[in-house]
Amino acid sequence: MDTKIIVPPCSPLLDKAETEKASVVHQRSIKGLCSLLLVSTLLVLLFVQQGPRITRNGENDLNLKSLEQAWRWVSKEITLDVSGERVKAYPWTNDMLSWQRTSYHFQPQKNWMNDPNGPLFHMGWYHFFYQYNPNSAVWGNITWGHAVSKDLINWFHLPIAMVPDNWYDIAGVWTGSATILPDGQIIMLYTGKTANLTEVQNLAYPANLSDPLLLEWVKHPGNPVMVPPPGIGFKDFRDPTTAWLGPDGMWRITIGSKINNNGLSLVYKTANFTEFELSDELLHEVPGSGMWECIDFYPVSLASTDGLDTSANGAGVKHVLKASLDQYMQDYYAIGTYDPMSDKWTPDDPKADVGLGLRVDDGQFYASKTFYDQNKKRRIIWAWVGESDSESTDVLKGWASLQAIPRTIVFDKETGTNILQWPVEEVESLRSVSYDFDKLKLGPGSVLPLNIGSATQLDIVATFEIDEEALQSTVEANEDYNCSSSGGASRGVLGPFGILVLADEPLSELTPVYFYISKGTDGIAKTHFCADQSRSSTASDVGKLIYGSDVPVLNGEKLSMRLLVDHSIVESFAQGGRKVITSRVYPTKAINGGAKLFVFNNATGVSVTASVKAWQMISANSVPFPQNGDHL
């Protein structure tokens, strides 16, 4: 029988975050200038000794775009923590590093991976292409890796699909998208980088369309098919989308760019995919949003849960415009209306335009790309999930980066303002032993262990009901709460409460995923959904950020979350996928049998009733392509 633990006021769960925050505030005025000088000195030294940092797209860039990227500036002995302090690299053991490799998320068998490319379904197989360095666990020599699956979960790794071997892509075969034409032809448009670092767009297609595995690809002899137009920087022209068919019978694609610091999407028209005409109008532009890359543009149905082909339009259809913001390494989207006559898109809410409002995922999730799965009539999104440890650790591991579990995307008919993302149903085939914990009573400041054995590979569904009387009687509570800047899972009147994943038994390492309710003087409650990595590891050279933001909760809805835990990645879905957070976690103690699961209520003024169901997850298959093909 589970034993309830009432956490005393001096508990690490309750107080350490507050204590550390207070300590940081106390020291910040004294150490701030010294820290700034130290970081500046380190950056200069690193530039001199190692050369300029290479960004995702291979450009020289001395600006740390976000705290997450600071983890990529490393030497073998020294790295920078999230506050910019110099710290010693953690002495990782082989056991710790081996544990970090996932068991049911897609990743190549070794080396570096980043953006998803050209996903498609062909002759019974899901194809996935991805940015890949076949020689190292760090960025460089970007080729297209290739894998196939019958179910998006179990994968065969195929030979490399495309390599940088022509003048128009000699510096990298970069991000691209697939378009399946009505006659079944497959068109692959991708960005190549020339020797002088100019970004150009190229065409490739299968050598043998009757091959279910699409093993061989041919690059069009007339490449490039698009070059940067006048007024566009030669390094600011990349990542063509899947094409859609307009009412005039011409195909359209959009490409990310910027002018000054205004992010924008160019529109090109074509009849044959070898000759393209630049439209006079931009699809869209947002001032101050910086370079747009990995643009995605697709329709969603207002009435049906089915996905739509990329060319769908008309009554009952809205269009999602997504851009990956290069300067922040974050994916933003907005919902709006597309006019096929003018090729312009208008957001429903200008205040929530691309880069201003909704993120696709509040955590570590970038360069996302969707495709229409004609096999099951659904739209599926992929995304690159990078590392937040040090580059030297990645070299020790021999690999870097994951892909998020493929998710379905539908329009949220209840709110009318956002999309819903949910793991593809096929991932449920990995569920094995299940554990049910029904109506657990959690008083203020309580933690309850959930005895399920090792908590390393899990699928968790949980609902929470709060004491309605206490909620209504609370006049004001933490009105200005913010997941990232308000102390994470530290105590408040109406939160936090949720699940502790990848926690060790004494709670020296833990990652809370939780709800937090704030309430203003107007009596209106706001619900926040957060993931707190600040105490996820005792290692000093890993990222420990706190992610999240508010999530709409409608009248009559219970607070609900679903968590996919797979070693060093946690994907968290709130309210049926209205809010999603992807976290990378690197514990040193909460691994293997030491990883435990808890439910908690860290609020001071409200009791919570929790119901939790957890499944142990078996490992997916991820094996090399069998040379004789007998098993395919």
Side-chain angles (χ1 to χ4, degrees):
M1 182 176 180
D2 295 321
T3 303
K4 184 177 182 180
I5 302 174
I6 303 297
V7 182
C10 60
S11 160
L13 176 63
L14 299 184
D15 292 334
K16 186 169 182 182
E18 293 181 354
T19 302
E20 291 178 344
K21 180 183 177 185
S23 175
V24 169
V25 171
H26 176 71
Q27 297 176 32
R28 188 170 294 150
S29 60
I30 301 172
K31 298 172 66 177
L33 180 59
C34 294
S35 297
L36 179 61
L37 292 172
L38 176 59
V39 171
S40 300
T41 303
L42 280 171
L43 294 182
V44 172
L45 289 173
L46 283 166
F47 178 77
V48 172
Q49 294 176 5
Q50 299 180 351
R53 176 181 176 271
I54 302 300
T55 66
R56 166 192 170 271
N57 289 306
E59 298 180 18
N60 298 337
D61 185 2
L62 291 181
N63 295 317
L64 294 180
K65 296 175 184 174
S66 67
L67 288 176
E68 295 174 58
Q69 288 181 282
W71 294 100
R72 316 311 298 165
W73 281 83
V74 295
S75 69
K76 291 185 178 179
E77 295 81 23
I78 299 296
T79 187
L80 303 179
D81 73 5
V82 291
S83 65
E85 297 289 339
R86 189 179 183 183
V87 295
K88 186 175 178 61
Y90 189 80
W92 297 97
T93 66
N94 287 335
D95 192 39
M96 295 174 188
L97 296 179
S98 297
W99 177 88
Q100 291 177 14
R101 188 168 178 86
T102 63
S103 290
Y104 60 88
H105 282 72
F106 180 87
Q107 58 185 129
Q109 295 186 302
K110 60 181 180 179
N111 297 327
W112 169 272
M113 172 181 64
N114 54 292
D115 302 9
N117 295 151
L120 59 90
F121 181 80
H122 175 67
M123 295 182 68
W125 290 96
Y126 290 101
H127 287 256
F128 182 67
F129 305 88
Y130 53 93
Q131 304 279 275
Y132 180 57
N133 182 353
N135 301 325
S136 173
V138 299
W139 188 94
N141 188 35
I142 294 301
T143 67
W144 271 30
H146 185 193
V148 292
S149 172
K150 287 288 188 179
D151 59 8
L152 293 167
I153 301 298
N154 299 284
W155 292 92
F156 288 107
H157 296 278
L158 297 175
I160 289 172
M162 290 194 286
V163 299
D165 57 1
N166 287 274
W167 70 267
Y168 50 78
D169 62 10
I170 196 65
V173 182
W174 285 3
T175 295
S177 301
T179 300
I180 301 178
L181 302 186
D183 62 1
Q185 290 186 71
I186 297 173
I187 297 295
M188 197 73 78
L189 293 172
Y190 72 93
T191 298
K193 197 152 194 171
T194 68
N196 70 351
L197 305 184
T198 298
E199 295 171 357
V200 298
Q201 312 313 315
N202 304 305
L203 168 65
Y205 37 81
N208 179 8
L209 197 59
S210 64
D211 175 14
L213 301 181
L214 301 176
L215 290 175
E216 296 183 20
W217 288 80
V218 175
K219 296 177 182 178
H220 175 55
N223 280 336
V225 293
M226 287 169 277
V227 299
I232 296 297
F234 67 96
K235 294 182 180 180
D236 302 327
F237 182 67
R238 56 183 176 265
D239 309 336
T241 63
T242 295
W244 69 93
L245 192 61
D248 57 359
M250 299 283 284
W251 292 91
R252 279 105 163 129
I253 59 110
T254 185
I255 294 174
S257 188
K258 69 174 180 178
I259 296 179
N260 298 321
N261 198 40
N262 296 346
L264 54 88
S265 47
L266 303 165
V267 175
Y268 281 84
K269 298 180 183 179
T270 183
N272 53 19
F273 290 92
T274 60
E275 298 174 327
F276 288 82
E277 177 186 354
L278 177 63
S279 174
D280 292 334
E281 299 289 341
L282 298 175
L283 180 67
H284 195 54
E285 178 181 17
V286 177
S289 57
M291 177 66 195
W292 285 11
E293 57 182 1
C294 302
I295 289 181
D296 208 354
F297 185 62
Y298 56 89
V300 289
S301 171
L302 301 184
S304 172
T305 57
D306 286 346
L308 297 177
D309 179 84
T310 307
S311 297
N313 200 4
V317 173
K318 288 284 186 180
H319 275 76
V320 175
L321 178 60
K322 182 236 90 178
S324 299
L325 303 190
D326 181 55
Q327 62 184 343
Y328 303 116
M329 297 290 284
Q330 296 172 350
D331 280 16
Y332 280 84
Y333 78 95
I335 297 173
T337 300
Y338 168 61
D339 180 354
M341 303 307 295
S342 65
D343 284 324
K344 293 188 73 66
W345 174 89
T346 304
D348 287 348
D349 180 4
K351 293 181 181 178
D353 207 341
V354 178
L356 304 178
L358 297 169
R359 285 180 60 182
V360 179
D361 184 300
D362 278 7
Q364 195 150 339
F365 183 98
Y366 194 65
S368 59
K369 181 174 294 296
T370 70
F371 77 104
Y372 176 62
D373 173 16
Q374 72 272 30
N375 181 46
K376 291 193 173 183
K377 294 182 173 58
R378 57 186 177 175
R379 182 158 292 272
I380 293 173
I381 184 171
W382 285 92
W384 168 38
V385 181
E387 304 293 327
S388 56
D389 60 357
S390 70
E391 192 172 88
S392 56
T393 302
D394 294 343
V395 172
L396 286 175
K397 290 188 300 187
W399 59 271
S401 302
L402 314 169
Q403 297 291 325
I405 286 291
R407 307 168 181 174
T408 58
I409 285 182
V410 298
F411 179 73
D412 187 349
K413 293 183 288 185
E414 300 301 321
T415 65
T417 59
N418 54 270
I419 59 173
L420 297 173
Q421 302 174 67
W422 201 246
V424 292
E425 61 185 358
E426 289 89 339
V427 75
E428 297 173 16
S429 67
L430 302 179
R431 290 173 172 174
S432 59
V433 180
S434 64
Y435 303 84
D436 287 275
F437 305 90
D438 195 36
K439 297 188 183 306
L440 304 174
K441 305 296 183 181
L442 302 171
S446 59
V447 179
L448 189 67
L450 303 178
N451 297 324
I452 64 169
S454 175
T456 287
Q457 295 174 209
L458 300 175
D459 187 352
I460 305 163
V461 176
T463 59
F464 299 87
E465 298 177 78
I466 62 174
D467 182 343
E468 191 64 27
E469 183 177 346
L471 175 62
Q472 295 302 325
S473 63
T474 301
V475 177
E476 183 180 1
N478 304 92
E479 180 178 8
D480 298 324
Y481 182 80
N482 179 285
C483 293
S484 300
S485 60
S486 298
S490 56
R491 303 194 76 173
V493 177
L494 300 176
F497 50 87
I499 302 290
L500 300 180
V501 297
L502 298 176
D504 64 347
E505 193 163 351
L507 302 182
S508 65
E509 291 183 330
L510 50 87
T511 299
V513 181
Y514 59 90
F515 292 106
Y516 195 113
I517 299 175
S518 61
K519 201 170 184 183
T521 54
D522 56 6
I524 297 176
K526 180 184 288 187
T527 302
H528 308 264
F529 183 61
C530 317
D532 182 354
Q533 298 175 206
S534 62
R535 297 182 54 210
S536 60
S537 176
T538 58
S540 55
D541 60 349
V542 299
K544 300 178 186 178
L545 300 181
I546 304 170
Y547 298 120
S549 57
D550 57 283
V551 57
V553 179
L554 306 184
N555 289 335
E557 289 184 345
K558 291 182 181 180
L559 297 175
S560 63
M561 66 173 71
R562 181 180 180 186
L563 313 181
L564 295 178
V565 181
D566 187 9
H567 295 258
S568 60
I569 183 172
V570 181
E571 295 186 69
S572 307
F573 302 78
Q575 302 308 111
R578 281 187 197 131
K579 184 65 61 178
V580 190
I581 304 171
T582 299
S583 308
R584 294 302 307 277
V585 182
Y586 307 92
T588 62
K589 301 175 182 178
I591 63 174
N592 300 317
K596 308 297 181 184
L597 186 68
F598 299 82
V599 62
F600 77 98
N601 174 20
N602 212 15
T604 61
V606 66
S607 295
V608 175
T609 300
S611 295
V612 181
K613 185 165 187 174
W615 291 265
Q616 293 284 352
M617 299 287 276
I618 63 174
S619 298
N621 293 319
S622 180
V623 297
F625 165 66
Q627 294 299 313
N628 58 16
D630 290 345
H631 302 292
L632 297 180

